[in-house]
Amino acid sequence: MESKKLSRRTLLSTMGIAGGAMLAGRMMPLGRAEAAGSASMLYIGTVAQMVLLASVEEGQWVRTNGYYIEGDGGGAKYRITASTSYAGTPDGYVDHALSAAGKVAVMDLSNGIDMKQIGVQSGVDGTARVRAAYAKNAKMYTYTGDMAPIIDCDDPNYPASKFSGGIFPPSFSYHRFDGQFRFQAKGSANGEYVLFNFYGREHVTMVRPWVVGDVGTTHTGTTGEWGFGFYLVSGAKHITIQDGLAEKFWGDGYYVGIHPSYPNEAISEHITLENCIADSNRRQGLSITAVRCCRVIGGEYRNTGNIAWTGPAFGIDIEPNAQAKAYVDVSLIDVTTRNNKMGGLELVPGFLSRSIVEEPYFNVFVSNYRSIDDGQTGAIKFNNPAPANAAELQKAIRGQIVIEKATVVRPKRKGVEWGRWGKHAPHVVASDILVQDPNEDGVAGISYTQQSAFVLTLTADDVTKGMTQTGRITLIRPRALDTRATPKMRAPFWMQTAAGSSVQRMTIVDGFGENDLDGNKGFVRVNEASGVTVRYTGDRPVKLLDSPLVCATGIWAGYELRLPETATGVLDVELPASTVSLGLTYTIVNASQAGGQVRIKASGADQLKANGTAAATQWIVEPQEAYSAGAHMAGVWSLSDTI
């Protein structure tokens, strides 16, 4: 390559009178030109100096040594082009019109664009500059330096539309952040906004992107819950975010779903979040409402709702909306949630049963999940919204929820909960869930639902809305431990049903509980107003007697029917007919320390017979006594003292 130096006189002539006057005092260190292919390369200090060039040839190459000042990292290479050959108008950020009439300096994109090359500055609104850079569709974008440019996240057409603001990375692009650079959301008064908007984008990879919202600082509104850091919606395909950090957003750090203005477009697919962090967002760390093939690998979703909050306030919420294209296929692998106000992981498939949904599919795989210090409504919560009509309860949701190993440590109250988990819900198969030290808040009294490791409820309100049975749930080796010197866990597993409801398809294999306030009386405790059938292997499940019990069928055979320690008075337990109960055994334990009694009653013409006593139709179990009642022949229940 030929190299030559321009004379001072030639360079001043090239730059024009204005440029020469400006640079005359420092022309020698900047005034070097080198051949670049068939055209020479002109070295110059800053973009402002380049714009003042008055006499440059078309095809000339110019390299700047900075954007605002020399050495600020914003230097770039430009090719001089005739304005007649330039499509559109130079934006003044990436490409620049020169003083020389009819000339444009066009940035060389062969090595991509660094944000410093377009003049972004910390604390200054850089929205237009970033949009201009993305409009060039470069293959590589880099973000360097300890700086926080401001991004206007509001939709420019708000409120006619609400999620078309922010910055749109171009398809087929790679973005590399250095771990110091972050985008700061401009303070908003709106309940909806977006910083990184991936609507319709394909094949985009971001490494170490860092975005900061306006919660607790510059947000001036009070309503809404939809301010998002990363918005991966309709048409987003093959998007990968590695080591991302999204913090302090009015809604969610990361949102994967459907753009409400384009509900009939293809949903997002092949979305990967790897080792990402969501911190101190207001509504959720991560929400997933619709996606095909989404993988969340590693990372931590924490502190949701700790600065300001609105429900659900979970670390991760997988909850499809009632939209035609709603469809969920997600894997969570080695993911951690920590210290989220209401809970760690929420799974809510219920809206898929609405008539508008074309493919009611909810498939979630969880492996090696960790919840630490999560909030009040369950570190893991299986939940459904109230149905709008009875027809929804007949529309089965396809797919299943599979959990392979989960560790829940110090949940503020209950550890794992099923609420409104109707028979239309997907099958849950969960193995090796450990709940350690639930009820860290220390809720006292007899509220089992707030203090237990595992909780399943069907309330009177659920029954009113038609949800009278639970869906299929299979738990393999669930464990509930309280390692504290003074335990706060009321029971390992508490089931409670209202009148007219029943637990019918629950299977528990090898459940284990230790050091609970009920005194280690088995894994399952039940308080019900209707039928509960649990397929169970392991220690005998316990039903607490807080109201008279009529055993019309063999449903309670195999349970321990226990009168609680605080019980007073006399409570009746009526056995079923012996003729339909041959081979069944009922166990009644009176643990009262307040003088309570259990009266065992035979039904019809049946008799109760204990060794050495006359046959009777009733038998009193005194405090600290336990009896088993077995039907071995028609008409007689044999009683034996088990203590």
Side-chain angles (χ1 to χ4, degrees):
M1 176 184 296
E2 179 184 358
S3 178
K4 62 180 180 178
K5 291 186 178 180
L6 298 181
S7 70
R8 179 181 178 85
R9 178 177 298 174
T10 303
L11 182 57
L12 286 173
S13 174
T14 301
M15 297 181 64
I17 297 174
M22 181 177 183
L23 299 176
R26 55 186 313 185
M27 192 57 58
M28 293 307 293
L30 299 175
R32 190 174 99 253
E34 295 179 356
S38 60
S40 62
M41 176 75 73
L42 176 64
Y43 289 80
I44 200 164
T46 66
V47 168
Q49 295 168 359
M50 177 179 68
V51 169
L52 293 175
L53 292 173
S55 301
V56 285
E57 299 177 358
E58 183 177 353
Q60 170 78 56
W61 284 96
V62 177
R63 181 181 290 279
T64 59
N65 194 37
Y67 193 91
Y68 295 105
I69 61 174
E70 295 182 55
D72 64 7
K77 186 169 72 171
Y78 300 84
R79 186 176 180 88
I80 306 304
T81 302
S83 58
T84 54
S85 303
Y86 185 87
T89 302
D91 51 50
Y93 304 129
V94 183
D95 298 340
H96 304 270
L98 302 187
S99 296
K103 297 293 193 303
V104 177
V106 180
M107 186 185 291
D108 175 30
L109 304 182
S110 60
N111 293 318
I113 300 176
D114 187 288
M115 289 296 113
K116 290 182 179 179
Q117 293 175 320
I118 60 170
V120 298
Q121 295 174 287
S122 191
V124 177
D125 192 326
T127 310
R129 293 178 181 275
V130 177
R131 288 176 179 169
Y134 287 169
K136 299 302 180 183
N137 293 307
K139 301 305 179 186
M140 168 75 79
Y141 292 87
T142 54
Y143 309 74
T144 56
D146 184 4
M147 59 191 310
I150 294 172
I151 298 297
D152 185 347
C153 302
D154 289 339
D155 190 322
N157 297 315
Y158 191 92
S161 59
K162 299 180 178 180
F163 298 101
S164 296
I167 49 179
F168 293 75
S171 294
F172 302 96
S173 60
Y174 185 92
H175 302 253
R176 186 177 68 243
F177 291 70
D178 68 352
Q180 299 184 85
F181 187 104
R182 66 273 188 200
F183 281 124
Q184 170 68 60
K186 184 178 180 179
S188 176
N190 299 333
E192 307 88 356
Y193 64 73
V194 178
L195 200 151
F196 268 122
N197 200 328
F198 289 86
Y199 164 66
R201 272 32 189 180
E202 300 182 30
H203 296 277
V204 179
T205 297
M206 288 190 166
V207 178
R208 289 197 292 183
W210 180 5
V211 291
V212 184
D214 59 354
V215 168
T217 52
T218 56
H219 194 88
T220 57
T222 59
T223 61
E225 58 190 64
W226 303 282
F228 304 131
F230 295 90
Y231 192 54
L232 303 115
V233 295
S234 310
K237 298 179 181 179
H238 299 282
I239 309 297
T240 298
I241 300 176
Q242 298 176 357
D243 299 299
L245 172 56
E247 56 181 324
K248 301 177 183 177
F249 281 90
W250 190 245
D252 310 338
Y254 305 81
Y255 183 92
V256 181
I258 295 173
H259 196 301
S261 298
Y262 311 101
N264 294 317
E265 291 192 13
I267 64 173
S268 53
E269 63 179 71
H270 291 94
I271 306 298
T272 300
L273 303 179
E274 184 174 352
N275 296 325
C276 291
I277 293 174
D279 195 353
S280 299
N281 297 289
R282 177 170 169 264
R283 186 183 76 153
Q284 237 95 254
L286 163 64
S287 286
I288 299 174
T289 64
V291 69
R292 296 179 187 270
C293 193
C294 178
R295 303 296 177 257
V296 183
I297 304 169
E300 186 167 290
Y301 299 80
R302 64 196 185 208
N303 298 325
T304 303
N306 287 350
I307 297 176
W309 80 283
T310 187
F314 270 70
I316 299 174
D317 182 25
I318 303 177
E319 182 175 356
N321 297 316
Q323 295 170 299
K325 299 297 183 181
Y327 180 104
V328 170
D329 176 24
V330 177
S331 292
L332 306 178
I333 301 170
D334 295 330
V335 172
T336 298
T337 61
R338 185 189 301 268
N339 197 37
N340 296 287
K341 184 174 182 64
M342 300 306 290
L345 170 62
E346 184 172 44
L347 301 160
V348 188
F351 282 121
L352 291 174
S353 62
R354 299 289 168 94
S355 59
I356 191 175
V357 180
E358 297 171 356
E359 293 185 81
Y361 188 78
F362 191 91
N363 200 59
V364 177
F365 173 74
V366 180
S367 176
N368 198 31
Y369 164 67
R370 294 172 296 279
S371 165
I372 302 169
D373 299 321
D374 278 319
Q376 304 171 10
T377 59
I380 305 176
K381 185 172 184 178
F382 300 85
N383 190 33
N384 277 315
N389 55 66
E392 292 176 16
L393 301 177
Q394 308 306 316
K395 184 177 181 180
I397 299 172
R398 303 196 306 275
Q400 62 181 349
I401 300 169
V402 176
I403 299 177
E404 294 182 354
K405 190 178 181 182
T407 303
V408 175
V409 179
R410 295 184 304 275
K412 297 296 191 297
R413 297 184 185 176
K414 52 202 161 188
V416 181
E417 180 185 22
W418 287 265
R420 286 205 179 113
W421 201 251
K423 64 180 181 180
H424 65 305
H427 184 190
V428 177
V429 181
S431 59
D432 299 301
I433 297 182
L434 165 65
V435 178
Q436 178 181 311
D437 298 333
N439 189 25
E440 185 68 9
D441 278 353
V443 175
I446 58 173
S447 175
Y448 279 76
T449 58
Q450 296 298 316
Q451 302 176 62
S452 298
F454 297 82
V455 174
L456 185 150
T457 60
L458 282 170
T459 67
D461 182 64
D462 299 338
V463 174
T464 299
K465 293 178 170 60
M467 303 183 78
T468 59
Q469 296 182 20
T470 54
R472 291 180 61 197
I473 301 170
T474 301
L475 296 181
I476 302 169
R477 296 181 299 277
R479 295 167 59 83
L481 306 177
D482 196 319
T483 65
R484 295 163 290 203
T486 302
K488 300 178 183 179
M489 177 174 66
R490 172 61 60 179
F493 198 135
W494 174 249
M495 296 183 196
Q496 183 160 336
T497 59
S501 66
S502 60
V503 177
Q504 296 291 341
R505 298 187 293 174
M506 166 72 80
T507 299
I508 300 175
V509 179
D510 293 333
F512 178 82
E514 185 174 88
N515 197 31
D516 59 81
L517 290 171
D518 263 359
N520 299 326
K521 301 162 188 170
F523 185 75
V524 176
R525 319 291 160 82
V526 183
N527 180 15
E528 56 78 47
S530 293
V532 175
T533 299
V534 179
R535 295 176 56 199
Y536 187 86
T537 54
D539 295 335
R540 184 169 52 208
V542 175
K543 172 178 171 48
L544 296 178
L545 300 171
D546 61 353
S547 60
L549 177 65
V550 177
C551 302
T553 66
I555 194 169
W556 293 111
Y559 278 74
E560 178 182 294
L561 308 178
R562 175 177 287 265
L563 191 68
E565 289 88 339
T566 58
T568 59
V570 180
L571 187 140
D572 291 341
V573 173
E574 182 175 330
L575 299 173
S578 61
T579 54
V580 295
S581 304
L582 298 180
L584 297 182
T585 299
Y586 290 79
T587 300
I588 299 94
V589 176
N590 185 350
S592 174
Q593 298 178 10
Q597 296 177 318
V598 179
R599 180 165 47 210
I600 303 174
K601 299 173 66 174
S603 63
D606 285 350
Q607 297 287 305
L608 303 174
K609 186 73 171 64
N611 289 337
T613 64
T617 58
Q618 299 181 2
W619 187 271
I620 294 294
V621 181
E622 299 290 351
Q624 310 305 305
E625 289 185 344
Y627 278 83
S628 64
H632 303 295
M633 62 184 72
V636 178
W637 283 93
S638 298
L639 294 179
S640 60
D641 189 340
T642 62
I643 296 180

